[in-house]
Amino acid sequence: MAVEIHRVIEAVWRIESGRIIAGLTRLVRDVGIAEDLAQGALVAALEQWTETGVPDNPGAWLMATAKHHAIDLVRRNARLERKTEQMGRALEIEQELGSEFDLDLDDDTGDDLLRLVFISCHPVLSAEARVALTLRLLGGLTTDEIAHAFLVPEPTIAQRIVRAKRTLSEARVPFELPVGADRAARLGSVLAVIYLIFNEGYAATSGEDWMRPALCQDALRLGRILAGLVPNDSEVHGLVALMELQASRLRARVGPEGEPIPLAEQNRGRWDPLLIRRGFAALERATLLGKTFGPYGLQAAIAAIHAAAPNPEDTDWKRIVALYDALAQLTPSPIVELNRAVAISMAYGPEAGLEILDGLKDEPALKSYHLLPAVRGDLLTKLGRHAEASVEFQRAASFTRNARERTLLLERATTAAAIAFPML
């Protein structure tokens, strides 16, 4: 019974923690204190629900308990510091609390949650801190879960979160919604954090596993929440569409032993049709809201072409090239150019793609990027230049920090070498 209660509490916390912390942050004006109060309510639930059972509205119970703790905290501070403003805060919380547990978490929490999203991804924080704080406050993950997901020691993640909350407090970051140009820039930061989380799950940069699907699910949940909070932004729906469509391939991206399976070799019958439908719906929403696609919308449109093709040979690669051309104009980068080269090679032949790749060899951002030599190896193989391909695959293997990917690249290097030098 106790084990089952703990599972229920964990599920409730994962769903409701973001809204609870958001509501508390508005009241106490400090995200660190708000999380401490929410954690205190969680501890109280663990202690009491095993005896009394799960309440009818567990989220409201947690919020009410946390607000009672907030009143106690503010009163203690007021007595110590003799500040009437602090006492006023206590009265404000008491008035909002109302009857004991007759609370609806949906009342006035949308803006609070959106404010918390913007705070968690505030530009005053480093990228690593934004990711950790977002997963902690909005994703409901424990420090241990975040550390495990990113293969980072737990004390390191704990320090990042503590420093992030201290930085926000010291910078006196207001609990308010940004407006105008600042809002657009800040929203871009939020989208980048969510997609960074998704990508680490989709193609893990290090470790023994090719993917970490749980991170993809966390990012998808955050993206869907954001789409509900900012329903009229085309790029938000573009990001959700991109993640839905990419997540639809998760089951087909690994073999029985966890080995990576490239896109062209995947069994498309294993792609998730529900996620594909959701992805198309989000992309349609993005299309209706925006005159033109932003970066995420363009990438989602590319993913949609793959999803619409029943077989690899049915893929409209020329349309994909056109979309990458638009993406390169909108957000030029060596990574975009690398992906564009792959599309061009599929549409117009490996020589055309290799010509673009040769122009990227001296790009500083790609000096140690394993996918550059990996793609060159693929194109050289198609051209029958197996000895050169073997060298490229070996270089790619030396750059990657993912064990599964390294094994795949070394196998390709060996295969290419065996074709090039059959007598050795």
Side-chain angles (χ1 to χ4, degrees), residues 359-378:
L360 296 173
K361 287 190 295 185
D362 295 326
E363 281 286 346
L366 300 180
K367 279 292 185 181
S368 300
Y369 187 53
H370 68 285
L371 288 183
L372 177 58
V375 171
R376 290 195 85 252
D378 282 336

Side-chain angles (χ1 to χ4, degrees), residues 307-318:
N311 301 292
E313 54 269 23
D314 297 321
T315 305
D316 187 350
W317 283 106
K318 291 185 179 180

Side-chain angles (χ1 to χ4, degrees), residues 46 94 121 156 231 240:
L46 289 168
E94 283 183 310
C121 301
T156 300
V240 172

Side-chain angles (χ1 to χ4, degrees), residues 346-421:
M346 298 301 293
Y348 303 107
E351 298 94 340
L354 193 61
E355 182 179 351
I356 295 175
L357 292 183
D358 288 341
L360 296 173
K361 287 190 295 185
D362 295 326
E363 281 286 346
L366 300 180
K367 279 292 185 181
S368 300
Y369 187 53
H370 68 285
L371 288 183
L372 177 58
V375 171
R376 290 195 85 252
D378 282 336
L379 298 187
L380 290 168
T381 298
K382 291 177 180 178
L383 291 170
R385 294 160 60 178
H386 299 289
E388 295 172 76
S390 179
V391 172
E392 291 296 332
F393 286 134
Q394 290 180 49
R395 287 186 65 239
S398 71
F399 289 149
T400 184
R401 292 184 291 133
N402 185 280
R404 295 285 187 180
E405 196 167 30
R406 185 181 304 111
T407 298
L408 175 65
L409 291 166
L410 289 175
E411 288 174 353
R412 291 188 169 184
T414 300
T415 300
I419 297 173
F421 309 107

Side-chain angles (χ1 to χ4, degrees), residues 319-374:
R319 174 60 181 156
I320 290 177
V321 170
L323 289 168
Y324 270 120
D325 287 343
L327 186 61
Q329 288 186 341
L330 190 62
T331 56
S333 77
I335 301 296
V336 170
E337 197 66 10
L338 173 60
N339 286 305
R340 178 171 165 272
V342 173
I344 286 176
S345 75
M346 298 301 293
Y348 303 107
E351 298 94 340
L354 193 61
E355 182 179 351
I356 295 175
L357 292 183
D358 288 341
L360 296 173
K361 287 190 295 185
D362 295 326
E363 281 286 346
L366 300 180
K367 279 292 185 181
S368 300
Y369 187 53
H370 68 285
L371 288 183
L372 177 58

